[in-house]
Amino acid sequence: MRKPLRTTRGGGLLTTEEVAAILGVSPGYVKQLRYMDKGPAFIRLGRAIRYAPGDVTAYARQVRNG
């Protein structure tokens, strides 16, 4: 049985650092993916970048399944 991806904040929006922890990569790598438009979909709130947990899960499944 697969382990579900764990999110923080009870399903609220996630920071870059939280996404990095979920995916097991560095925050810098998540930023690089965002810059190259290859990572999970993100939301820009002013200067802040946030991610919806469902988008992070969908990205992880897409990468895992090729």
Side-chain angles (χ1 to χ4, degrees):
M1 184 170 173
R2 291 185 201 152
K3 289 174 71 175
L5 290 175
R6 292 181 57 210
T7 59
T8 58
R9 299 186 193 192
L13 296 176
L14 303 168
T15 65
T16 299
E17 291 74 17
E18 291 168 329
V19 171
I22 290 167
L23 297 177
V25 298
S26 72
Y29 184 68
V30 175
K31 291 176 185 177
Q32 183 178 15
L33 289 173
R34 185 174 66 236
Y35 177 77
M36 297 184 319
D37 200 26
K38 294 189 177 190
F42 63 93
I43 301 163
R44 186 177 303 274
L45 301 170
R47 296 177 76 183
I49 300 294
R50 297 293 182 264
Y51 298 84
D55 291 336
V56 176
T57 301
Y59 172 77
R61 286 188 180 132
Q62 176 188 359
V63 172
R64 182 176 59 215
N65 294 331

